[in-house]
Amino acid sequence: MNDKNIESTLCEERLFSPPAEFSAKARIPDRAAFDSLVQAADENFEGFWSDQAKAELTWHKPFETVLDDTNPPYYRWFTEGELNVSFNCLDRHLKGKADKAAIIFEGERGEVTTLTYRQLHQRVCRFANVLKEQGIVPGDRVVIYLPMVPEAVIAMQACARIGAIHSVVFGGFSAESLKGRIEDAEAKLLITADGGYRGGRIIQLKAAADRALQGGCVSIQRVIVLQHTGHEIAMTGGRDLWWHQIEAKADSHCEPVWVNAEHPLFLLYTSGSTGKPKGIQHASAGYLLGTATTMKWVFDIRDEDIFWCTADVGWVTGHSYTTYGPLAVGATMVMYEGVPTFPDPGRFWKLCQDHKVTIFYTAPTAIRALMKWGDDLPASYDLSQLRLLGTVGEPINPEAWMWYYRIIGNERCPIVDTWWQTETGVHMISPIPGAIPTKPGSCTLPLPGISAAVVDEKGESITTADRGGYLVITRPWPAMLRTIWGDDQRYYETYWRKFDGKYYVAGDSARRDEDGYFWIMGRADDVLNVSGHRLGTMEIESALVAYPKVAEAAVVGRPDAIKGESILAYVILKGDRPAKNGDGGAPLAEELRAWVAEQIGPIAKPDEIRFVDGLPKTRSGKIMRRLLRTIAQGETITQDTSTLESEAILAQLQGKA
Ligand code: 6R9
């Protein structure tokens, strides 16, 4: 961003109070209760987090220091404390909840398996012994490349049990990405499967793993292979072992290894705008604490809830709200392996109905995709058990929010729009469902103990409601990343240098309205500069999605000799794509341009609209605007386009079809 601020033009005035029925039973039942938590954290920051850490976690050895800030921004939390994450997620629930379901798993083909806390504990202990037998010791890195099956959680928890550091690589990533991550982490062991199911097809995980290991990954000594699809695969003697064979022989008793609070729990690689992926490193105690507090504050989790977070464990959301958060608080969760549209687009709603899901957490991309199929489909399932809905991953367009609220939640369920990042570990800015009135498209207010601000280029707070700036976090927090694996300098450069170590810079642009609510405008580099006006791509996209015929939109800028940048919009319609595409000549494109002019202002009118059948997305469902920009500018594509359903879509994006 340059020194001019971003102009915000989208005006959203709808306000939804928490339903009285929800608030009546909620942990944080009203604004006063929320304010008193925020105030407690403000007045005695360390005391607040110390109380939380004592209340939520079971310690083997108590901590004395709460926050060690002697070497900023390399903050440390609960430094003398010792605990074990898997003990906190499993063992401590065995007293009262041994027979409670921990995981209800449904495969894409419909098979259901339930694991109680006792069963999950046993399997984790067995697998932890397997890891030890394979020579894994505390601090060793283990890469996990599995489909979305309970064994992914088992493998992660088993690592935590013996102090090994896991690094999960999403099953949809290529051999090349897997290789890069294994090599950066210098992992000793790889855990994979013969294959996974996705949209009725088999993903060849073992074959990809074999390609990754060919001629590289010298640190890998063993590969453990889960039999899941049962199809034939190649096994390399002396290196590859079948999971079921070694698990069967392993003892089901395994003492947890007590580790220091700061002991690394996992690495999770995220791709940055430039350079190689960053191994985001999280610490044991602070991270686990964040998952437990947010499960309670944001999801208002109760013993009888059935919680379903649809994210894959290869993504941070799957770490915090599948593997760790629900187990840390002893909840029951649903896990589903397949895609939302298999065998038909009613699958998510059928899963909610069949497993009586009470809390449902998904991404805006899934909501927009399912919204395309209309209101009747969800209406044909019984969704009356739902009490709370959540979103994560991208700003949710107000119209998608309204659809989610009306059609899925039946105007009965609050929506928590949770803003956070791989780096932040857990939710940072989000409504507290029983206490904070929501506005469609806003993630509302920072959680207790979290200090966020919007600042300008000089680091000064922006207070005018229609001006955006950099979203920053002004105080350390327990679940924050500790560093980038093996690269302390890059950690400083990426997140702290911009304001000389004073603030954590999230890389997003945002604004705050009169009520102090935060509105995420997108990544800071997704800002357009049209004739000197700085516009967030997100707002133009939301205006387009608000048009009844539009299902999804992505907006990018192109250099323009006169205006600085011109606006190109890619649009997916609810029905079929018009046969004739082009430079705005089609009548529908004119309609849309006029609509945007009316909604935002003539300055935001797209110069060109391209109707397409699909958009390039990251594996976690974010629109790849950088790739779209490359395409828009007619440059050579160097990014991975494998998430596009077909080559034909690439031609449409290029405006050639
Ligand atoms: C959890 C996760 C982080 C980036 C983040 C922001 C975007 C996430 C959002 C949101 C608006 C929300 N983002 N949640 N934007 N509203 N509720 O997604 O982590 O994959 O690291 O991505 O996602 O741009 O900076 P990660």
Side-chain angles (χ1 to χ4, degrees):
M1 282 196 267
N2 63 22
D3 54 350
K4 277 197 82 182
N5 295 317
I6 313 160
E7 291 174 31
S8 177
T9 30
L10 196 75
C11 186
E12 174 60 62
E13 281 169 350
R14 287 170 288 198
L15 184 76
F16 296 85
S17 294
E21 197 196 336
F22 189 98
S23 298
K25 295 187 204 145
R27 253 172 227 282
I28 304 178
D30 51 31
R31 182 68 197 238
F34 171 76
D35 287 342
S36 79
L37 275 173
V38 171
Q39 203 186 345
D42 274 351
E43 285 168 2
N44 182 357
F45 184 66
E46 292 193 21
F48 175 81
W49 282 118
S50 167
D51 290 348
Q52 295 295 331
K54 285 177 191 158
E56 300 302 335
L57 303 181
T58 306
W59 295 86
H60 178 65
K61 181 178 163 219
F63 57 88
E64 285 154 35
T65 312
V66 180
L67 168 63
D68 172 358
D69 56 3
T70 51
N71 183 25
Y74 304 92
Y75 297 100
R76 299 161 63 81
W77 287 84
F78 316 117
T79 21
E80 306 80 8
E82 280 178 18
L83 47 49
N84 179 278
V85 168
S86 119
F87 180 91
N88 273 272
C89 291
L90 302 167
D91 306 49
R92 66 169 172 163
H93 304 312
L94 295 181
K95 255 188 216 142
K97 295 182 179 175
D99 296 317
K100 175 175 176 169
I103 301 179
I104 302 170
F105 169 76
E106 181 166 323
E108 196 177 68
R109 293 161 312 155
E111 73 282 12
V112 176
T113 325
T114 300
L115 284 171
T116 63
Y117 271 90
R118 190 199 318 278
Q119 291 166 328
L120 183 62
H121 176 258
Q122 272 197 0
R123 291 206 57 194
V124 167
C125 287
R126 280 219 183 92
F127 199 68
N129 282 327
V130 164
L131 295 176
K132 284 200 282 190
E133 279 157 28
Q134 297 309 319
I136 300 300
V137 297
D140 280 349
R141 275 81 59 209
V142 172
V143 167
I144 298 173
Y145 185 58
L146 285 173
M148 187 60 184
V149 291
E151 282 79 3
V153 174
I154 292 170
M156 293 161 85
Q157 288 281 349
C159 287
R161 193 160 191 90
I162 62 165
I165 305 167
H166 62 68
S167 180
V168 180
V169 177
F170 176 63
F173 274 141
S174 64
E176 203 47 43
S177 321
L178 175 61
K179 182 175 173 192
R181 286 156 171 79
I182 290 175
E183 291 188 337
D184 189 76
E186 295 177 280
K188 240 175 157 172
L189 185 98
L190 171 65
I191 303 170
T192 187
D194 47 2
Y197 295 102
R198 202 169 166 77
R201 287 174 303 122
I202 287 180
I203 305 290
Q204 301 288 342
L205 291 171
K206 178 61 165 59
D210 285 339
R211 281 198 303 281
L213 298 189
Q214 245 163 37
C217 302
V218 290
S219 56
I220 293 286
Q221 296 171 359
R222 285 277 182 284
V223 179
I224 298 180
V225 186
L226 176 75
Q227 194 167 49
H228 178 54
T229 53
H231 71 289
E232 202 165 320
I233 51 156
M235 293 288 276
T236 303
R239 186 194 73 185
D240 300 353
L241 301 164
W242 282 111
W243 176 312
H244 58 278
Q245 292 179 354
I246 45 182
E247 187 188 328
K249 287 188 231 138
D251 193 52
S252 64
H253 179 83
C254 176
E255 280 299 311
V257 172
W258 306 111
V259 297
N260 183 270
E262 282 294 304
H263 184 75
L265 177 63
F266 65 85
L267 310 178
L268 184 57
Y269 284 83
T270 65
S271 33
S273 44
T274 50
K276 63 173 185 165
K278 306 183 284 267
I280 303 301
Q281 181 179 323
H282 279 285
S284 299
Y287 170 81
L288 192 67
L289 176 61
T291 66
T293 51
T294 52
M295 283 302 296
K296 292 188 173 176
W297 294 338
V298 177
F299 291 128
D300 189 46
I301 193 85
R302 286 200 234 121
D303 201 28
E304 61 276 16
D305 274 317
I306 309 283
F307 176 83
W308 182 24
C309 161
T310 67
D312 192 279
V313 288
W315 186 27
V316 71
T317 308
H319 281 58
S320 306
Y321 300 107
T322 297
T323 302
Y324 293 111
L327 298 179
V329 298
T332 296
M333 75 174 111
V334 168
M335 220 179 145
Y336 168 60
E337 182 183 356
V339 297
T341 47
F342 187 86
D344 63 63
R347 187 62 183 269
F348 268 14
W349 317 130
K350 183 168 172 13
L351 273 144
C352 285
Q353 166 188 279
D354 292 355
H355 301 296
K356 300 195 165 42
V357 171
T358 58
I359 305 176
F360 179 68
Y361 188 41
T362 196
T365 180
I367 299 167
R368 290 190 302 257
L370 296 173
M371 201 171 126
K372 250 186 100 161
W373 301 93
D375 304 354
D376 295 344
L377 191 69
S380 65
Y381 295 94
D382 178 6
L383 301 178
S384 61
Q385 297 283 340
L386 285 172
R387 67 179 194 98
L388 177 60
L389 302 172
T391 74
V392 55
E394 277 189 298
I396 179 164
N397 318 88
E399 288 320 303
W401 193 103
M402 287 306 301
W403 185 82
Y404 199 29
Y405 185 72
R406 285 189 9 251
I407 306 301
I408 305 306
N410 200 12
E411 302 184 22
R412 209 171 26 79
C413 308
I415 296 180
V416 287
D417 175 351
T418 60
W419 178 86
W420 61 295
Q421 308 176 294
T422 305
E423 293 86 343
T424 69
V426 299
H427 303 154
M428 299 292 278
I429 308 180
S430 166
I432 298 285
I436 304 297
T438 49
K439 302 181 189 182
S442 168
C443 51
T444 75
L445 301 170
L447 296 180
I450 301 299
S451 311
V454 175
V455 300
D456 64 16
E457 199 66 33
K458 294 196 207 91
E460 269 153 39
S461 201
I462 297 176
T463 43
T464 1
D466 60 353
R467 295 257 163 227
Y470 295 96
L471 176 59
V472 296
I473 310 295
T474 59
R475 264 183 162 176
W477 65 102
M480 67 192 293
L481 78 164
R482 296 305 192 257
T483 189
I484 292 173
W485 177 253
D487 202 343
D488 286 348
Q489 192 54 34
R490 191 173 178 202
Y491 164 72
Y492 179 76
E493 295 289 325
T494 311
Y495 304 108
W496 298 90
R497 201 185 57 121
K498 181 153 189 72
F499 299 112
D500 294 324
K502 200 169 152 207
Y503 301 140
Y504 167 85
V505 183
D508 284 353
S509 55
R511 70 180 174 94
R512 290 185 87 165
D513 67 16
E514 308 72 28
D515 298 321
Y517 279 30
F518 285 74
W519 296 78
I520 308 295
M521 300 167 85
R523 298 295 294 170
D525 52 10
D526 285 334
V527 171
L528 305 177
N529 190 335
V530 182
S531 310
H533 299 266
R534 294 181 61 73
L535 303 168
T537 50
M538 172 61 200
E539 297 188 322
I540 307 174
E541 287 163 11
S542 283
L544 286 164
V545 174
Y547 198 68
K549 291 178 193 166
V550 174
E552 183 146 33
V555 165
V556 294
R558 267 185 311 200
D560 183 282
I562 297 160
K563 300 201 283 183
E565 263 183 306
S566 68
I567 304 172
L568 169 58
Y570 296 96
V571 169
I572 301 180
L573 296 174
K574 283 186 183 145
D576 288 336
R577 191 171 84 90
K580 192 169 161 290
N581 222 325
D583 57 0
L588 184 56
E590 262 322 307
E591 255 174 75
L592 287 175
R593 283 162 43 81
W595 168 259
V596 174
E598 195 185 301
Q599 295 290 304
I600 303 183
I603 188 73
K605 244 172 29 178
D607 298 274
E608 181 184 344
I609 291 179
R610 287 184 194 165
F611 296 104
V612 295
D613 290 321
L615 289 168
K617 303 260 176 81
T618 64
R619 300 296 181 168
S620 60
K622 297 189 213 306
I623 295 170
M624 297 167 75
R625 290 191 185 72
R626 201 167 299 119
L627 169 60
L628 287 174
R629 215 152 43 219
T630 307
I631 295 173
Q633 296 173 6
E635 290 166 3
T636 321
I637 299 169
T638 52
Q639 295 99 328
D640 181 10
T641 52
S642 61
T643 53
L644 285 173
E645 290 128 57
S646 69
E647 278 293 309
I649 292 179
L650 191 58
Q652 294 168 13
L653 291 168
Q654 290 167 323
K656 293 184 194 152

